[in-house]
Amino acid sequence: VQLVESGGGSVQAGGSLRLSCTASAYNYRDYSLGWFRQGPGQEREGIATIDQYGGTRYADFVEGRFTISRDNAKNTLYLQINSLKPEDTAMYYCAAVRGWSNALVRGNYKYWGQGTQVTVSS
């Protein structure tokens, strides 16, 4: 399974971005998916997950600003981020694992993309 993220960029605080992650996977709908991020000098942290049934889970820090979604017809995962803050600056990664999962734990995912950079200026 190959995952390719896109949609990152440099934005001002308060702006929005929609990240995408396209997968080359047979039976994409059988995979649970997640978004993670890693800021400079920080550990990679889970943001949100969506299982193969469409169930979602978010990290506590999301505060309603992030929305995860998937389009199985396009083999694509999305992350909508609103009201961006400078502390959201990080490399954003998508991840996948076959079967059900809602874990926000890095070790739970088998496949990873290369990441897309998000930089938020104040």
Side-chain angles (χ1 to χ4, degrees), residues 20-118:
S20 300
C21 172
T22 302
S24 60
Y26 182 69
N27 285 342
Y28 177 77
R29 63 181 67 249
D30 291 341
Y31 288 78
S32 294
L33 309 166
W35 282 102
F36 290 72
R37 69 182 185 182
Q38 188 167 12
Q42 297 179 353
E43 295 290 320
R44 192 170 299 188
E45 63 179 350
I47 301 169
T49 66
I50 184 166
D51 63 36
Q52 69 265 56
Y53 308 112
T56 59
R57 181 186 177 193
Y58 293 91
D60 291 341
F61 69 81
V62 165
E63 299 177 338
R65 297 189 297 118
F66 296 68
T67 303
I68 190 171
S69 61
R70 64 190 293 169
D71 184 338
N72 290 335
K74 296 181 179 179
N75 279 23
T76 301
L77 173 71
Y78 301 100
L79 184 69
Q80 177 70 39
I81 315 173
N82 298 323
S83 302
L84 278 156
K85 304 176 181 180
E87 51 264 44
D88 293 322
T89 294
M91 186 72 79
Y92 284 69
Y93 299 89
C94 62
V97 61
R98 188 157 188 170
W100 184 87
S101 175
N102 72 345
L104 290 166
V105 178
R106 178 178 181 176
N108 205 63
Y109 292 84
K110 183 174 181 179
Y111 305 102
W112 291 84
Q114 294 299 307
T116 186
Q117 177 69 38
V118 172

